[in-house]
Amino acid sequence: MQTNPTHSSLVAVGDSFTEGMSDLLPDGSYRGWADLLAGRMAAQTPGFRYANLAVRGKLIGQIVDEQVDVAAAMGADVITLVGGLNDTLRPKCDMGRVRGLLEEAVEKLAPACRQLVLMRSPGRQGPVLERFRPRMEELFACVDQLAERHGAIVVDLYGAPSLSDPRMWDVDRLHLTADGHRRVAEAVWQALGYDPADTEWRTPLAATVPPRWVARRVADARFARQHLLPWIGRRLTGRSSGDGRPAKRPELLPYDGPVA
């Protein structure tokens, strides 16, 4: 980790987590941690440039095929790579293939930038996490090994108590709220060596009275109707929420967006 760093450019690679869902803006677009991080880095360095190649729903193979070579060719100071979690949530997942593709991505990106940033993605407390936890932790072990081998930084969001709290997650239970994205931006900011703005980003949220049984059942029904059933439908038909969507910010251009 570098102290008092100066970075002139950032390229973000990944899926919906890096695209910024569900940090919704008034115009219907998504902001997210990568935009917030870029805004803070731009405030430090005049002429700072930023690209975000992430597209929701992408599997690690699609990230490698569609984003990695493009990102490597940009020659950015910092590249962030988060991928593979969508694969682990599929009923049938070849973890050997996932590990191999992640290794391919890291081997291409690490030499193409000053600093590659990898992450152990956050996980929401609940039955879904418990079901897929072994796969997720296998993925994160691979992330750790690749980071050590290639000199990448690993940001441990999975081990942050604040980010496992259900209150940090949107109603779809798959994507962080605006406050969750802010905390991720802070985590990456600190990992890159910048002075902390929030030293408590990992700290668990204060306890509150849990919702009553009826409220929980209403929320469960809404989640199933609006999010779970459409997700299952896409899996059964081989479709993805990202089909036909372009990269969020495909060119490495000067950035003057939001500051976390």
Side-chain angles (χ1 to χ4, degrees):
M1 183 177 69
Q2 180 183 4
T3 57
N4 299 317
T6 300
H7 298 116
S8 64
S9 51
L10 167 69
V11 175
V13 174
D15 51 33
S16 59
F17 174 69
T18 301
E19 184 184 343
M21 296 173 72
S22 289
D23 186 6
L24 190 64
L25 295 173
D27 65 359
S29 64
Y30 292 107
R31 182 177 55 177
W33 66 265
D35 284 12
L36 293 169
L37 176 66
R40 291 176 68 169
M41 296 172 77
Q44 297 275 327
T45 306
F48 181 87
R49 297 175 300 151
Y50 169 53
N52 189 327
L53 307 180
V55 178
R56 67 194 69 173
K58 293 300 182 181
L59 303 173
I60 186 62
Q62 295 170 309
I63 291 172
V64 170
D65 291 343
E66 300 168 13
Q67 300 179 33
V68 166
D69 288 340
V70 176
M74 288 181 170
D77 282 352
V78 178
I79 298 177
T80 66
L81 167 64
V82 187
L85 201 62
N86 282 334
D87 298 79
T88 69
L89 299 177
R90 297 293 177 105
K92 295 181 180 180
C93 174
D94 182 347
M95 286 303 299
R97 180 173 182 273
V98 172
R99 293 194 306 270
L101 287 165
L102 186 61
E103 181 175 7
E104 179 182 345
V106 170
E107 287 179 345
K108 289 182 177 180
L109 294 175
C113 62
R114 283 175 51 196
Q115 184 61 67
L116 178 63
V117 178
L118 307 176
M119 298 188 201
R120 295 162 57 92
S121 303
R124 181 186 185 276
Q125 292 174 357
V128 173
L129 176 62
E130 293 309 313
R131 179 180 177 185
F132 296 104
R133 187 186 295 274
R135 289 180 183 174
M136 292 171 62
E137 293 187 347
E138 183 177 348
L139 176 68
F140 299 155
C142 179
V143 166
D144 291 342
Q145 293 164 5
L146 290 171
E148 183 175 2
R149 192 183 312 159
H150 294 278
I153 292 172
V154 177
V155 183
D156 185 14
L157 307 173
Y158 181 69
S162 62
L163 293 177
S164 66
D165 191 306
R167 291 171 290 176
M168 280 288 165
W169 295 76
D170 192 49
V171 294
D172 67 1
R173 305 182 183 181
L174 287 174
H175 300 106
L176 292 170
T177 62
D179 190 28
H181 279 283
R182 181 194 64 77
R183 290 171 187 251
V184 174
E186 178 67 29
V188 183
W189 173 263
Q190 292 184 25
L192 287 169
Y194 293 98
D195 292 334
D198 177 9
T199 58
E200 303 297 322
W201 72 267
R202 297 173 55 94
T203 302
L205 276 65
T208 58
V209 177
R212 304 181 74 171
W213 185 90
V214 172
R216 295 200 303 272
R217 298 295 77 80
V218 169
D220 288 343
R222 183 179 62 175
F223 161 71
R225 183 178 64 255
Q226 296 181 356
H227 301 287
L228 180 59
L229 292 177
W231 183 85
I232 292 173
R234 290 195 297 272
R235 299 291 81 73
L236 293 175
T237 57
R239 294 178 292 117
S240 167
S241 58
D243 289 347
R245 289 185 176 273
K248 179 176 183 178
R249 186 179 169 90
E251 297 182 68
L252 189 61
L253 297 173
Y255 188 66
D256 59 358
V259 178

